[in-house]
Amino acid sequence: MSGRFIVMFGGNPYEATALRGSKEMDYCILNTVGLPARAARIGKLSSVAPGQRVYSVGSPRGFELTIAEGLVSGLRKKDGVPLFLIQTSAAISPGSSGGGLFDEFGRVIGITTFLLKDSQNINFALPVELSQRFGRQ
């Protein structure tokens, strides 16, 4: 994965480069230059449990930094994914995939990826620890 990318934040563009990712998993980690935001602390999948309160942050329909509250609904195994997916009731609307899923302590535990259409609040996030595995490949 290579190339130049632009990240929009606060209506301003910031140059970014891809550090690592997986096309098959629709997962990419970008490094931005001059983005006026702190890096999030990283949580661990081993601390995630059903019933735990979580928050999704994304840009549904272009509305930047939209936050939604929900619960971890379950941890689900999926073929081809080396770690459990995090199922959550926190909203992941179109345009929000790639956003963070945070625990109640502000640690990012997942990257929001997809929802099941024709269902209510069946949303999924890849555990953030996958980024570490991609870095070793």
Side-chain angles (χ1 to χ4, degrees):
M1 179 165 284
S2 63
R4 294 182 54 188
F5 302 91
I6 299 293
V7 172
M8 296 299 292
F9 181 75
N12 297 310
Y14 296 88
E15 286 189 36
T17 55
L19 297 179
R20 57 185 168 254
S22 168
K23 188 173 183 177
E24 296 80 31
M25 296 293 301
D26 191 24
Y27 194 97
C28 178
I29 297 183
L30 300 174
N31 182 49
T32 57
V33 177
L35 184 73
R38 292 184 318 188
R41 293 177 294 143
I42 304 294
K44 294 193 174 286
L45 183 60
S46 61
S47 70
V48 176
Q52 175 181 345
R53 190 169 308 283
V54 291
Y55 304 88
S56 62
V57 177
S59 297
R61 308 277 187 214
F63 294 104
E64 290 182 1
L65 298 176
T66 296
I67 188 168
E69 179 182 29
L71 300 174
V72 172
S73 304
L75 299 173
R76 308 288 179 205
K77 194 68 180 141
K78 182 175 179 355
D79 289 340
V81 180
L83 297 171
F84 285 93
L85 292 175
I86 303 167
Q87 180 186 342
T88 180
S89 62
I92 301 172
S93 301
S96 287
S97 64
L101 184 67
F102 294 84
D103 67 13
E104 62 272 23
F105 302 107
R107 297 177 297 214
V108 63
I109 57 171
I111 305 299
T112 59
T113 56
F114 67 95
L115 56 96
L116 293 182
K117 288 188 176 185
D118 302 323
S119 300
Q120 290 185 347
N121 291 330
I122 302 180
N123 308 301
F124 292 90
L126 294 170
V128 73
E129 289 160 295
L130 277 178
S131 67
Q132 296 162 336
R133 289 186 180 223
F134 291 144
R136 291 192 296 261
Q137 296 176 354

